[in-house]
Amino acid sequence: MTRLAQTAGLNDIQREILSTVRDFVDKEIIPVATRLEHRDEYPTEIVEGLKELGLFGLMIPEEYGGLGESLLTYALCVEEIARGWMSVSGIINTHFIVAYMLKQHGTQEQKDTFLPRMALGEVRGAFSMSEPALGSDVSAITSKGVRDGDEYVLNGQKMWLTNGGTSNLVAVLCRSDEGHPEGTAPHKSMTTFLIEKEPGFGEVRPGLTIPGKIDKMGYKGVDTTELIMDDLRIPANRVLGGTTGRGFYQMMDGVEVGRVNVAARGCGVAQRAFELGVSYAQQRHTFGKPIAQHQAIQFKLAEMATKVEAAHAMMVNAARKKDSGERNDLEAGMAKYLASEYCKEVVEDAFRIHGGYGFSKEYEIERLYREAPMLLIGEGTAEIQKMIIGRRLLEEYRFQG
């Protein structure tokens, strides 16, 4: 274990899980990540390994075949996996958010149907809020679900689904005006629908099309897609929780833990960038000595390490707050904002330390340099995080005049 980003107060089981995951990352992910990433190739063997480790069921309760671990344990595992290859952490994160939403909000029948198979990784989850024209403005969604007897008919186009192709269960947020009078606040007339589908691309079930992978600057390997619903029929018992109008709250609950996850990813990528930077600085010589002995580089390393440590501490605090049952949107927003910004800065400093070689695809830092920007926008942009933080601070520190 390294000196940085240690977590006090872990029990023996947590330490054993983290040691196992770190060993898997060092042996099975880091040696192949850059090659797979450059090919934009789905990491099938890595995913099978994660299934065997039980990571797809890490936070699913034991009664459903999972490990029943805490958000903190999960976040620390994500940090380790992102240190190896951030795309792999994305594959399990979206799955985990859907499992979490089912655990917290699903009917008993929905939990019994999906959670045991999700714990094994047999059912793989994806979730979808965003649409092509709205980005982070969730209240403006136009996709719609209309009741028709014992079914709902869904129409609309969704955007930025991680695992859109490989998943076989998608939680989709749609507008549903059933039982909600005109003039109802937009966020009170949204419903989460659980859509089962075949993995793959094209028309994966009647009325549902996954057009193909979106070609991205970074965050490769994992499939990011659109989702098009054209008179898609699903049974009424696939409304999450069995009641319409609760979708916005369910999704925000999922995104809250997702933001802790994105913070953990930022911590993991930053850690790897620091490791690469501090190693290269001791091997590369200029003016007769390793560049690590030049004060300019030492200052960079000092700043990078401090940022790694600070981001990790904030991420751990946000996870522990959620685990304690307290509201953590302020802490999760702060952790996600700080970790993603610091990640970008640490990666850039490591890139600068590498000099011209940082620009070469032969060096791992080139991949990290393209991956880091995704964290600035995933699970809500930095600007959205600052809006959330600002509003919550004004609630907490309301002026008493």
Side-chain angles (χ1 to χ4, degrees):
M1 297 294 284
T2 60
R3 173 70 180 267
L4 296 180
Q6 294 299 296
T7 311
L10 299 181
N11 60 39
D12 290 343
I13 293 173
Q14 289 173 311
R15 283 195 290 269
E16 185 178 343
I17 290 171
L18 286 172
S19 175
T20 302
V21 172
R22 175 172 272 262
D23 190 51
F24 181 83
V25 168
D26 286 340
K27 292 178 180 175
E28 306 296 335
I29 298 183
I30 288 176
V32 301
T34 296
R35 174 170 54 83
L36 292 175
E37 198 270 351
H38 286 165
R39 293 180 185 170
D40 199 5
E41 183 177 328
Y42 188 79
T44 303
E45 290 184 17
I46 292 172
V47 170
E48 289 303 314
L50 294 176
K51 283 184 188 178
E52 290 177 22
L53 291 178
L55 286 191
F56 281 96
L58 192 61
M59 272 190 71
I60 293 174
E62 292 181 19
E63 64 191 281
Y64 298 106
L67 297 178
E69 272 295 331
S70 63
L71 177 60
L72 175 62
T73 308
Y74 181 79
L76 294 174
C77 287
V78 165
E79 184 178 40
E80 293 291 353
I81 292 168
R83 179 182 149 267
W85 184 13
M86 192 181 73
S87 293
V88 178
S89 66
I91 290 169
I92 58 172
N93 179 42
T94 45
H95 171 88
F96 154 68
I97 289 177
V98 177
Y100 174 83
M101 289 167 61
L102 275 162
K103 181 187 78 166
Q104 295 296 108
H105 306 289
T107 64
Q108 193 59 53
E109 183 269 335
Q110 290 166 355
K111 293 177 188 177
D112 292 340
T113 298
F114 295 115
L115 288 180
R117 290 185 293 150
M118 293 186 84
L120 294 172
E122 292 174 0
V123 168
R124 301 267 298 287
F127 79 107
S128 175
M129 292 189 295
S130 188
E131 295 181 0
L134 60 89
S136 295
D137 184 9
V138 179
S139 64
I141 67 169
T142 58
S143 296
K144 196 161 185 177
V146 177
R147 184 85 184 231
D148 183 20
D150 292 333
E151 295 181 316
Y152 279 87
V153 180
L154 276 51
N155 283 282
Q157 184 178 0
K158 309 299 280 187
M159 192 70 177
W160 306 120
L161 274 79
T162 301
N163 290 341
T166 47
S167 60
N168 42 17
L169 177 67
V170 187
V172 177
L173 187 65
C174 295
R175 193 166 300 289
S176 60
D177 297 328
E178 179 195 18
H180 307 291
E182 198 165 329
T184 299
H187 65 279
K188 292 184 178 179
S189 60
M190 295 183 190
T191 298
T192 303
F193 294 95
L194 300 170
I195 300 175
E196 297 171 82
K197 70 173 187 68
E198 289 297 316
F201 300 99
E203 189 171 27
V204 291
R205 65 175 280 180
L208 181 65
T209 300
I210 307 291
K213 290 167 63 172
I214 297 168
D215 195 16
K216 310 181 296 290
M217 174 176 80
Y219 198 41
K220 293 178 180 286
V222 59
D223 50 291
T224 306
T225 73
E226 297 175 74
L227 177 147
I228 298 169
M229 301 173 290
D230 184 11
D231 288 340
L232 169 65
R233 290 184 168 271
I234 70 163
N237 66 0
R238 289 297 171 256
V239 169
L240 180 62
T243 306
T244 60
R246 299 291 302 164
F248 182 81
Y249 303 102
Q250 294 161 348
M251 284 280 180
M252 289 304 106
D253 190 24
V255 166
E256 209 167 272
V257 293
R259 283 180 179 144
V260 174
N261 176 288
V262 172
R265 286 196 240 180
C267 291
V269 174
Q271 276 186 53
R272 185 61 183 161
F274 173 78
E275 290 171 8
L276 295 171
V278 76
S279 174
Y280 185 81
Q282 294 171 78
Q283 298 171 55
R284 170 75 163 160
H285 286 68
T286 63
F287 306 105
K289 59 183 177 181
I291 62 172
Q293 291 182 22
H294 294 296
Q295 191 179 61
I297 301 300
Q298 287 182 11
F299 280 7
K300 275 194 193 302
L301 294 172
E303 291 168 2
M304 292 160 71
T306 302
K307 289 171 182 176
V308 166
E309 190 78 352
H312 177 83
M314 289 198 74
M315 179 271 289
V316 167
N317 179 56
R320 283 186 159 142
K321 193 104 173 174
K322 186 76 170 178
D323 283 333
S324 72
E326 296 179 71
R327 182 177 178 181
N328 87 328
D329 54 343
L330 176 63
E331 290 77 12
M334 285 180 166
K336 191 272 177 187
Y337 167 60
L338 190 85
S340 59
E341 294 289 341
Y342 276 0
C343 174
K344 178 200 66 162
E345 293 169 13
V346 172
V347 167
E348 180 161 342
D349 279 341
F351 174 82
R352 289 170 184 263
I353 286 171
H354 279 75
Y357 289 109
F359 213 61
S360 165
K361 283 185 175 286
E362 290 181 33
Y363 282 73
E364 193 179 336
I365 191 64
E366 180 271 342
R367 168 170 62 83
L368 269 58
Y369 195 78
R370 289 183 290 102
E371 288 179 339
M374 196 286 287
L375 298 170
L376 301 171
I377 52 177
E379 309 290 5
T381 62
E383 289 71 26
I384 288 290
Q385 304 311 317
K386 287 190 273 191
M387 283 172 56
I388 292 167
I389 294 165
R391 288 170 182 169
R392 285 291 287 116
L393 289 172
L394 289 171
E395 285 179 30
E396 293 287 338
Y397 292 90
R398 184 171 284 116
F399 175 64
Q400 303 293 327

